[in-house]
Amino acid sequence: MASLKEVRNRIVSVNSTQQITKAMKMVAAAKLRRAQDNIMQMRPYAQKLGEMLTTVSSGAESAVDSPLKTVRPIEKVLIVVVTSDRGLCGAFNTNIVKATLLLIEQKYSAQAAKGNVEIFAIGKKGAESLAKRGFVVNKTYMDLFGRLNFVAVKQAAEEIMKAFSDGRYDAVDLVYNEFKNVATQIIHTDRYLPIATEDKTTRTKTAEVNYIFEPTEEEILAELIPKSLKIQLYRSVLESNASEQGARMTAMDKATENAQELLKELKLVYNRTRQAAITTEILEIVGGAEALKN
């Protein structure tokens, strides 16, 4: 059985840890509120922009020639992985890394065997984990959450689009967590480039309406396609940011509860140890008194 001093030291240590986890939970809750507001405001805009792109591209009489729509045999692949810069958020980062590895195994195993799969990391944890597994990682934007705004994400999207247009990559996929609620995040593995083209047979009734475009449909699409891709990446980063704060809040709440349970057990051990020590002292005193009588 541990000594009273050891048990007291453990109780103090667990108390300190519990205070830290409580504080981290409160900080994560405050950040979550802001991140949740940001993503709720972004979702309708991103959805409407996607609808506009579909409507214009479906109604266009002639196909718009864009390098971002070019479909090539897939030889080189870029995977954009969105994780967090810090840990202590449960399995948030681990699940994204697992999803990335599963995507590579199921879809790009041949390219990976040739060393033609590269990682574009947004978030330090994903960059570090995948670099340890031998992947080539572009770490230019891995600390993007420290300066999270549309301008920073726009620069990252432009770099990705330029690399695809120049033929450095034949396919670009996006892996991120979508925010559902505080306790639930949904992992998405979406095709980012080349952009999907709308099939004539799948046009909606809205797309069949005759619109008058000013300027031309081609000019509108030439502007909408890059803008839509930038907004898509920005939305993914905002989704991941909200998911991270929700995961951290949940993890810190569980850690606080576990610390409370551990404190109960330690206090019980402390009381038992103290009782045993007192009983031993009483027995020694009684034994000494009996020895003096004899």
Side-chain angles (χ1 to χ4, degrees):
M1 186 176 290
S3 66
L4 284 174
K5 184 178 180 180
E6 291 174 347
V7 177
R8 279 198 300 267
N9 288 340
R10 288 198 64 191
I11 290 174
V12 171
S13 177
V14 173
N15 262 320
S16 300
T17 302
Q18 188 182 44
Q19 291 175 4
I20 293 171
T21 56
K22 279 183 179 179
M24 292 186 69
K25 177 188 173 183
M26 294 174 63
V27 171
K31 289 184 177 180
L32 173 63
R33 182 60 184 271
R34 294 194 296 270
Q36 193 172 356
D37 289 342
N38 290 337
I39 191 56
M40 291 305 176
Q41 293 172 11
M42 173 55 64
R43 279 176 180 172
Y45 177 75
Q47 183 178 358
K48 194 63 180 178
L49 186 63
E51 291 175 1
M52 288 175 58
L53 181 61
T54 301
T55 299
V56 177
S57 61
S58 298
E61 295 181 359
S62 59
V64 177
D65 185 20
S66 170
L68 300 175
K69 297 171 65 176
T70 305
V71 178
R72 299 185 289 264
I74 300 177
E75 294 294 335
K76 295 184 178 180
V77 179
L78 180 68
I79 300 179
V80 183
V81 181
V82 187
T83 56
S84 68
D85 289 334
R86 298 183 298 145
L88 298 177
C89 48
F92 175 82
N93 295 309
T94 303
N95 289 337
I96 286 292
V97 172
K98 286 182 178 178
T100 303
L101 296 175
L102 184 62
L103 173 67
I104 294 171
E105 180 183 350
Q106 293 181 344
K107 197 174 179 181
Y108 302 119
S109 58
Q111 291 82 356
K114 298 176 182 178
N116 290 339
V117 175
E118 294 186 16
I119 305 297
F120 190 98
I122 297 178
K124 292 181 180 178
K125 290 299 180 180
E128 293 170 356
S129 181
L130 291 167
K132 289 179 181 177
R133 288 170 168 80
F135 291 99
V136 177
V137 180
N138 183 330
K139 301 181 180 180
T140 307
Y141 295 93
M142 72 175 187
D143 59 346
L144 190 137
F145 289 102
R147 48 189 172 89
L148 182 55
N149 54 58
F150 179 70
V151 175
V153 178
K154 174 186 173 184
Q155 292 174 352
E158 287 174 346
E159 182 176 327
I160 294 169
M161 287 188 287
K162 185 177 186 305
F164 180 82
S165 299
D166 293 344
R168 289 171 51 195
Y169 305 106
D170 303 310
V172 181
D173 283 14
L174 185 60
V175 184
Y176 66 97
N177 272 304
E178 180 187 7
F179 177 78
K180 183 177 181 181
N181 54 49
V182 175
T184 307
Q185 299 84 39
I186 303 172
I187 297 177
H188 281 261
T189 54
D190 300 336
R191 168 57 58 87
Y192 189 64
L193 288 169
I195 63 171
T197 55
E198 187 74 8
D199 195 301
K200 292 182 179 181
T201 59
T202 60
R203 292 180 183 176
T204 62
K205 293 181 179 180
T206 306
E208 295 295 337
V209 178
N210 292 324
Y211 290 98
I212 298 175
F213 295 100
E214 181 64 33
T216 64
E217 298 169 357
E218 290 76 12
E219 290 176 301
I220 294 174
L221 277 176
E223 179 70 23
L224 275 180
I225 289 173
K227 187 176 184 66
S228 176
L229 289 169
K230 294 171 187 176
I231 291 299
Q232 183 183 349
L233 183 60
Y234 186 48
R235 177 186 174 179
S236 302
V237 174
L238 290 181
E239 293 275 8
S240 182
N241 186 43
S243 299
E244 176 194 348
Q245 302 308 329
R248 180 169 289 110
M249 181 179 170
T250 302
M252 291 302 100
D253 181 54
K254 293 296 182 183
T256 302
E257 291 179 2
N258 291 339
Q260 187 62 38
E261 292 297 322
L262 187 56
L263 280 174
K264 289 181 181 179
E265 294 177 5
L266 287 173
K267 287 177 181 179
L268 183 61
V269 171
Y270 177 80
N271 290 333
R272 286 176 177 172
T273 305
R274 185 168 176 269
Q275 185 178 14
I278 292 172
T279 302
T280 301
E281 290 179 1
I282 291 174
L283 289 175
E284 289 176 352
I285 291 171
V286 171
E290 289 296 327
L292 290 173
K293 286 181 182 179
N294 298 328

